[in-house]
Amino acid sequence: MKLFPRLFLGHLLVILVALGALFLVVELIAPSFYRHHVEQMVALIGPEGRALRPDLERGMRRTLNSALLAAVPFAVAVAALTASLTSRRIVRAVRLLSDGSQALAAGQYARRLPETGRDELAGLAHNFNVMAGSLERVEQDRAALIGNVGHELRTPLAALRGYSEALTDGVMLPEQAAPAIRREVRAMERLASDLSLVSRIEAGRVDLHPTIFSARSLLTAALERFGDAYAERGVTLMAQNPPDDLQVRADFERALQVLSNLLSNALRHTPPGGRVTLAVQEVGGQVGFSVEDTGSGIPADHLERIFERFYRVDPARTRGEGSGVGLTIARGLVEQMGGTVRVTSGEGGSTFTFTLPLA
């Protein structure tokens, strides 16, 4: 049996039970209500009225029962109409939900349900719409990810094809093409490695090995890794000396990877003659690391999406530099180590700040 007949018959059963209970209650308690009026009538009639008392009570009970029986068809009709309307509303909501779920299963993620009223059905429709919106964003991210990966691979593949054709035509010698080919292969390997790491971060499957180390040692390792690259680019890399007793509990290699991603990002966006400053301070029971540059800054409408995969503020200027997922990796690693990451920006540059647990 379908849902509407079950709901309608269920409502009718409740109505019939209620009517039966009504007649039973009236039969039991009605005499206590009209007996007083019978006594008054007997007193008005006089001595002969005592003999009429049983007839008066039977007549009044019969009249009351007749009135109730006469009202039953009308009450049942109104109740059936109300039950039908209520059942149809519930069935309509269930049917809309069923159609919407089938549309989602078919890939129509833009499908939404009308949110009317303030009851549980409206709440169910709202929750369905929230779920549909989330699935739509996931599908958009998936399509964007495929497109971005294809775009990132197009440049090194085109270069490799050019080098192979040059070798075939004898335009380039093998010893000339080999370094360029190795460079493009490393670029594709880096992209594949970063994508693998992003997927493991988002799935929560990154192996972490927390240890206790000083904030100064992390800055020292970052300065040693990027000192030559910054000097070659003509950008000054500075670091404020943190307290010697400022200890951090985190995975040292992953923390260094986060700081390296931020420093690489700052180097790409800071012009020659600019400056990048590293700073450390204790913030609310955590250790905050900041990377401040003097680049062009990030427009306010891009700040909310700066940590998304392959999102670029200026694709024409930065395409081909890095894999496009460095900030995504940095945020994922920091959050898995129990910290947070944020960015502030203005005309004078940008500041990326992340926190790690204080030992």
Side-chain angles (χ1 to χ4, degrees):
M1 185 181 295
K2 292 187 176 181
L3 181 60
F4 176 76
R6 290 207 308 269
L7 288 174
F8 184 71
L9 293 177
H11 281 88
L12 286 183
L13 179 61
V14 172
I15 294 168
L16 294 176
V17 171
L19 287 176
L22 175 65
F23 277 100
L24 179 61
V25 171
V26 168
E27 189 68 22
L28 293 176
I29 68 174
S32 62
F33 287 95
Y34 58 71
R35 187 169 292 125
H36 175 68
H37 298 285
V38 172
E39 293 293 339
Q40 290 181 338
M41 294 174 64
V42 169
L44 290 175
I45 295 174
E48 296 84 0
R50 295 184 179 277
L52 297 176
R53 178 183 296 170
D55 294 333
L56 291 174
E57 290 185 357
R58 282 194 300 271
M60 191 163 291
R61 175 173 293 184
R62 192 179 303 113
T63 302
L64 179 61
N65 291 336
S66 299
L68 289 174
L69 290 175
V72 164
F74 178 75
V76 171
V78 172
L81 178 62
T82 304
S84 176
L85 295 177
T86 304
S87 301
R88 289 184 184 279
R89 180 175 181 272
I90 296 174
V91 171
R92 183 169 60 251
V94 173
R95 187 177 294 116
L96 286 174
L97 183 61
S98 176
D99 294 342
S101 61
Q102 291 177 2
L104 289 183
Q108 302 174 15
Y109 299 108
R111 182 68 174 269
R112 298 294 185 272
L113 299 183
E115 301 179 19
T116 57
R118 297 183 178 180
D119 54 7
E120 287 79 1
L121 293 177
L124 180 61
H126 174 74
N127 293 334
F128 177 90
N129 292 337
V130 171
M131 179 187 66
S134 300
L135 291 176
E136 185 177 16
R137 287 190 296 272
V138 169
E139 179 63 19
Q140 291 173 351
D141 291 344
R142 185 190 66 82
L145 175 62
I146 295 175
N148 286 325
V149 171
H151 192 91
E152 293 290 338
L153 289 174
R154 188 177 298 121
T155 299
L157 288 176
L160 289 174
R161 184 178 63 180
Y163 293 133
S164 65
E165 292 175 352
L167 287 172
T168 303
D169 297 338
V171 177
M172 294 182 66
L173 297 175
E175 57 269 17
Q176 293 175 326
I181 292 175
R182 282 197 299 268
R183 182 179 63 251
E184 299 302 333
V185 171
R186 283 197 301 267
M188 289 191 293
E189 288 177 344
R190 183 176 64 249
L191 176 60
S193 176
D194 288 345
L195 288 176
S196 176
L197 180 56
V198 168
S199 65
R200 285 187 286 119
I201 289 174
E202 293 180 347
R205 296 198 302 266
V206 177
D207 293 331
L208 298 176
H209 306 282
T211 58
I212 296 177
F213 56 89
S214 65
R216 182 189 296 272
S217 64
L218 184 61
L219 292 190
T220 301
L223 291 174
E224 292 176 352
R225 175 176 293 185
F226 285 90
D228 294 339
Y230 270 74
E232 182 180 352
R233 184 73 176 267
V235 178
T236 302
L237 179 59
M238 302 174 55
Q240 300 177 1
N241 291 326
D244 293 332
D245 58 348
L246 194 57
Q247 301 290 313
V248 181
R249 180 174 181 81
D251 188 313
F252 183 86
E253 293 300 327
R254 294 301 187 185
L256 181 58
Q257 183 178 4
V258 171
L259 194 54
S260 297
N261 287 352
L262 296 181
L263 287 173
S264 298
N265 184 71
L267 180 60
R268 284 196 300 270
H269 295 85
T270 304
R275 184 180 69 255
V276 175
T277 305
L278 289 174
V280 182
Q281 61 179 346
E282 184 178 347
V283 181
Q286 290 192 318
V287 181
F289 297 83
S290 63
V291 179
E292 181 181 0
D293 63 60
T294 57
S296 58
I298 303 171
D301 55 337
H302 293 276
L303 289 176
E304 293 184 358
R305 302 188 59 190
I306 197 65
F307 292 100
E308 294 181 8
R309 293 169 298 189
F310 297 107
Y311 187 80
R312 300 178 186 271
V313 177
D314 187 358
R317 182 169 66 89
T318 61
R319 180 65 64 185
E321 299 182 13
S323 61
V325 294
L327 294 180
T328 306
I329 292 173
R331 182 182 61 178
L333 290 176
V334 168
E335 291 178 350
Q336 291 205 16
M337 288 188 290
T340 59
V341 60
R342 61 185 179 88
V343 57
T344 57
S345 186
E347 295 182 358
S350 305
T351 301
F352 286 84
T353 304
F354 69 94
T355 62
L356 294 175
L358 179 67

